[in-house]
Amino acid sequence: MAEKSLMKGNEALAEAALRAGCKCFFGYPITPQTEISAYLSKRMPKVGGTFLQAESEVAAINMVYGCASSGIRCMTSSSSPGISLKTEGISYIAGADLPCVVINVQRGGPGLGGIQPSQADYWQVTHALGHGDFHALVFAPASVQEMVDTVTKAFDLSDEFRMPAVILADGLLGQMMEPVQFDDAEIKLSDASNKPWAANGHGNKRKHNIINSLYLQPDQLEDKVVERFKRYEKVKAEHSEAVADYCDDAETVVIAYGSTARLAKSAVEAARKSGIKAGIIRPVTLWPFPVKQIQKACENAKNVLVVEMSMGQMIDDVKLALNCSKPVEFYGRTGGIIPKPAEILAKIKEMGGKD
Amino acid sequence: MSAVKFIIITGHYGCGKTNVAVNIALKLASEGVKVTVVDLDVVNPYFRTADFKELLESLGAELIAPMYANSNLDIPALDFDLTSMKEREGYIIIDVGGDDEGAKALGRFLPVLKDGNSVMLYVINKYRYLTRTPDEALELMRDIEAASGLKCTGIINNSNLGSETDRQTVINSLPYADTLSKISGLPVTANCCKEEHSADIPNAFAVNVYVKKLWEEDIR
C-alpha cells in the first residue's frame, strides 16, 4: 500500500477513475464538481487517455454514449443542473444496454439553485433519470476513501449488468479533504470488461454489432425491456448494500445517506452518550434500495427518523421498505444548508428519547 | 525599504493556507498587534477564511472578504482595494486562492505589494497530490511567482493528513521541507504542527485546527 494522501473528494473520484481503467472522460464545468475535470485534464493525457471538455452537458453525455458503444471504459461528471441536461443521453445509454459511470456532485436546486451542498436529486437519480422503463445503479459514498473504493465497483458492476452507474455525491463530499489510500496493485479488470458486443470494428472477421435503442416492433421492445428488468432483479438480490451501527437494541433508528449520514452518526453517538437508544443505518446503494437491511435494522425500533439535505425524498422509499409498519419522521434542511448534528440530536430527543 | 506590512499566504490548492493564515492572525492578535485578514480566494467555493469571521473578530482581528464569499454567486469578484490598506495600523494578512490560478488575483495589487513592504510565504503539504516531491513543490512555486509577479520569501511547512495527523506525520515531512529549502534557496520559516507534537521540531509553529468538519465539532 502506498503512503496516504490528503485529497479533495472530487480529486479522489478522478484519480480513482484513472486507476479503474477509465480511458475517456467527457465533461463540462460546473461548481461544485469542477475539480474532477481539472484533475483529469492534467492526468488523463499522461496515461494515454482522452480528456475532452465538450461544448455542453448534452454533448458530453452523447460522447459517453458513443464511447461506451465501442467498449471503452468512460465517465462523465456534473452537478445537479448539468445532470438534468444529461438525462436524455442517460436514457439512450440505458436503452442501448451500455455501461458507463456518471458522477453527480449535488448542489441546491431546483433550477440554477445554488452552489452549496444538497441531496435534492434523490428522486431524479433513483426514479426518473430519463424517460422510459429503466434503472441505473446508484452508489452513495459517505467519505473520500469510500468514493475511491466505489468508483472501481461502479465500473465493474456497470460492465457486468450493462447498465449506467451513478455515483451520487454532494458538494460537501466533493469539496472536503480527507486522507485516502490507493491500492498500488495493478488493476484487475473483471471478466465483463471483455465486451464482445462492442461496436469497435469487426475487420470482416465477425458479424457486425449494432448499438441502438430504437425498436420498430412493440413486441420486440417489450421483450427487451422485460429482459432488462430480469437483470435488475438479479442486481436487487445481489448488490444492495447498507451499513448499520448501534441498531440491535435501538428504539429510534436514523436513516441517512452520504455526507448527511456522517452528521447523523455524530448525533446518534451523542444520543447514546445521553442514554438514548438510537441507531443509524446508512444506505450505500440507493438503487437497488437496501430494503431487507432496513427492515432488519428497524426490527426493534419504536420509531424511525429519516434525515436528508432536501425536503424529504428518500423517506418515501423508507416507508415502502417498512410497509408503513413504524412511524417514520423526517428532519431535513435544503437550499444548500447542511443539517447540524445538534439539530438532528434535538429531533431524536423529541421523538421519545429522554433528555 | 519600508517595514513589512503585507503577509501574503500562498500555496497549492488544499495545502492548508487558510488554517495557516487564521493561526498567524490569531497569534499576532493575541500579542496585541493589530491584524487585518484579507480573503483573496477567487478559486474556492467553500472552506475559506470568510468562515472564521466571528473567531477573528472575537480576538480583535478584522476580516475583509469579497462580498460574494460563501454565497451562491460563484464569481471571482473582489470588491475592495488593497492600496488603501497600506495606511492601516499593524499587519495585513492576505489569504490567496490555490495554485497559480488563485495567485493571479495578486497581480492587480502589484504596485502596492511590490513596494518592498510584503513577504510572500509559500505553504507546502507533502501529503497533497501534485506537490508530493520537493521538485513538484518548486515547480508550482515558480508558477505562482510567475502568475502573481511576486517572489516567495519563505516556506511554511504545513504537511498534514487532516484529522489523522500525528507527530510522525510532521517528522516525516521535515526532509521534504529542507530539500525544497535547498533547491529554492528560501528558508523554512516555520514547521506547523499541533502544540502536543511540537517537541524538538525545528522552527515549530504551534497551530490549532480551525478548519473542521461539522461532524468533528462537539455537540450536546
Side-chain angles (χ1 to χ4, degrees):
Chain A
M1 284 288 207
E3 192 176 42
K4 280 193 176 177
S5 308
L6 193 62
M7 289 185 106
K8 270 201 172 201
N10 285 335
E11 298 161 354
L13 283 166
E15 178 64 28
L18 290 177
R19 288 167 185 255
C22 175
K23 283 281 179 267
C24 293
F25 177 89
F26 309 97
Y28 187 79
I30 181 171
T31 306
Q33 66 79 52
T34 301
E35 293 85 359
I36 299 175
S37 281
Y39 190 96
L40 289 173
S41 70
K42 285 188 176 138
R43 290 272 287 125
M44 191 63 106
K46 290 186 180 161
V47 299
T50 297
F51 167 89
L52 201 150
Q53 181 169 317
E55 70 271 34
S56 71
E57 287 89 346
V58 176
I61 192 67
N62 282 294
M63 290 172 187
V64 169
Y65 184 17
C67 186
S69 303
S70 71
I72 292 170
R73 276 199 165 175
C74 58
M75 182 168 99
T76 186
S77 69
S78 193
S79 177
S80 309
I83 295 293
S84 291
L85 288 167
K86 288 183 196 288
T87 53
E88 181 198 42
I90 294 171
S91 173
Y92 278 64
I93 289 168
D97 291 315
L98 293 173
C100 69
V101 171
V102 177
I103 294 172
N104 181 2
V105 183
Q106 297 170 90
R107 59 186 247 181
L112 269 179
I115 61 168
Q116 300 293 327
S118 161
Q119 294 181 321
D121 301 347
Y122 178 91
W123 278 334
Q124 181 191 50
V125 72
T126 56
H127 293 81
L129 196 56
H131 61 280
D133 268 333
F134 80 94
H135 286 292
L137 295 154
V138 184
F139 300 92
S143 69
V144 177
Q145 182 68 55
E146 194 181 330
M147 296 222 271
V148 165
D149 303 336
T150 302
V151 170
T152 311
K153 194 192 294 175
F155 273 111
D156 284 349
L157 290 180
S158 176
D159 276 352
E160 182 179 345
F161 292 99
R162 292 186 61 182
M163 59 193 289
V166 179
I167 296 174
L168 191 70
D170 61 66
L172 189 52
L173 283 168
Q175 292 295 323
M176 74 182 188
M177 305 223 308
E178 285 188 313
V180 285
Q181 197 153 35
F182 290 96
D183 188 349
D184 272 349
E186 182 109 3
I187 300 272
K188 278 194 206 114
L189 292 180
S190 58
D191 292 344
S193 66
N194 174 28
K195 296 165 181 166
W197 48 262
N200 52 358
H202 52 76
N204 290 321
K205 286 184 180 131
R206 61 163 167 79
K207 207 167 161 279
H208 63 269
N209 289 331
I210 296 173
I211 307 285
N212 182 30
S213 71
L214 173 67
Y215 290 84
L216 297 179
Q217 301 301 330
D219 56 338
Q220 285 176 6
L221 178 56
E222 185 186 46
D223 287 351
K224 189 69 215 173
V225 175
V226 168
E227 180 275 316
R228 198 171 290 136
F229 270 69
K230 279 185 187 149
R231 243 183 297 152
Y232 293 160
E233 285 308 312
K234 194 162 184 273
V235 181
K236 281 190 196 172
E238 293 171 7
H239 295 288
S240 71
E241 247 187 274
V243 178
D245 284 300
Y246 317 107
C247 284
D248 291 348
D249 65 341
E251 292 176 353
T252 297
V253 170
V254 180
I255 307 184
Y257 70 93
S259 60
T260 306
R262 304 272 293 270
L263 301 156
K265 194 174 173 188
S266 283
V268 163
E269 285 169 349
R272 282 271 165 186
K273 274 186 202 146
S274 61
I276 299 169
K277 287 184 176 168
I280 178 166
I281 178 160
R282 170 172 78 85
V284 173
T285 53
L286 300 181
W287 198 96
F289 196 64
V291 173
K292 289 207 170 70
Q293 295 92 321
I294 285 175
Q295 286 169 345
K296 185 168 178 294
C298 297
E299 237 166 29
N300 301 316
K302 286 183 185 152
N303 50 35
V304 174
L305 171 64
V306 177
V307 185
E308 299 176 63
M309 269 193 282
S310 73
M311 293 301 286
Q313 302 190 1
M314 182 177 71
I315 186 172
D316 292 355
D317 283 339
V318 169
K319 284 180 179 170
L320 282 172
L322 295 173
N323 288 316
C324 298
S325 60
K326 312 260 175 185
V328 180
E329 294 200 29
F330 178 74
Y331 183 76
R333 299 295 301 267
T334 194
I337 304 293
I338 300 166
K340 291 206 168 67
E343 297 165 13
I344 303 167
L345 178 61
K347 180 71 185 176
I348 295 172
K349 286 180 174 173
E350 180 198 307
M351 284 172 63
K354 48 190 178 289
D355 231 355
Chain B
M1 188 170 148
S2 49
V4 169
K5 172 62 65 181
F6 296 98
I7 301 171
I8 304 165
I9 311 292
T10 183
H12 178 38
Y13 200 42
C15 65
K17 293 177 297 298
T18 293
N19 204 58
V20 167
V22 171
N23 272 280
I24 294 175
L26 294 179
K27 177 109 180 10
L28 290 170
S30 71
E31 290 167 2
V33 180
K34 274 282 215 194
V35 188
T36 306
V37 179
V38 179
D39 177 349
L40 203 72
D41 192 337
V42 292
V43 183
N44 233 8
Y46 323 161
F47 306 122
R48 45 190 303 158
T49 349
D51 298 343
F52 306 100
K53 189 173 166 63
E54 271 178 44
L55 175 70
L56 290 164
E57 286 175 357
S58 72
L59 287 161
E62 195 184 337
L63 173 78
I64 295 175
M67 65 192 289
Y68 300 120
N70 285 339
S71 79
N72 276 328
L73 194 55
D74 190 15
I75 57 168
L78 297 172
D79 54 330
F80 50 79
D81 184 17
L82 287 178
T83 317
S84 58
M85 291 184 203
K86 208 163 67 167
E87 309 308 324
R88 280 182 180 238
E89 199 189 321
Y91 290 106
I92 319 286
I93 297 175
I94 306 174
D95 183 18
V96 185
D99 293 359
D100 42 329
E101 283 90 351
K104 272 181 201 147
L106 284 168
R108 162 172 151 195
F109 305 114
L110 214 51
V112 56
L113 298 172
K114 256 211 152 155
D115 207 12
N117 58 359
S118 60
V119 290
M120 184 151 86
L121 301 173
Y122 180 54
V123 182
I124 53 170
N125 181 354
K126 169 189 187 324
Y127 302 97
R128 282 286 291 153
Y129 85 106
L130 297 184
T131 59
R132 297 204 64 129
T133 65
D135 286 337
E136 286 177 329
L138 181 65
E139 192 184 322
L140 183 66
M141 190 183 98
R142 297 289 180 232
D143 289 345
I144 287 172
E145 289 179 336
S148 65
L150 292 162
K151 291 277 177 212
C152 292
T153 56
I155 296 163
I156 295 199
N157 177 22
N158 188 48
S159 294
N160 75 87
L161 273 172
S163 56
E164 290 183 21
T165 309
D166 57 20
R167 186 172 148 76
Q168 201 55 46
T169 314
V170 182
I171 291 171
N172 290 349
S173 74
L174 297 176
Y176 161 81
D178 287 340
T179 308
L180 178 62
S181 171
K182 264 187 213 113
I183 59 178
S184 66
L186 296 178
V188 179
T189 311
N191 286 301
C192 298
C193 56
K194 285 189 188 168
E195 181 79 55
E196 69 257 37
H197 301 149
S198 64
D200 304 326
I201 304 284
N203 291 333
F205 177 52
V207 293
N208 283 316
V209 181
Y210 294 108
V211 182
K212 273 198 177 137
K213 303 191 174 79
L214 279 170
W215 48 82
E216 290 169 359
E217 288 174 4
D218 286 337
I219 47 166
R220 59 196 130 248

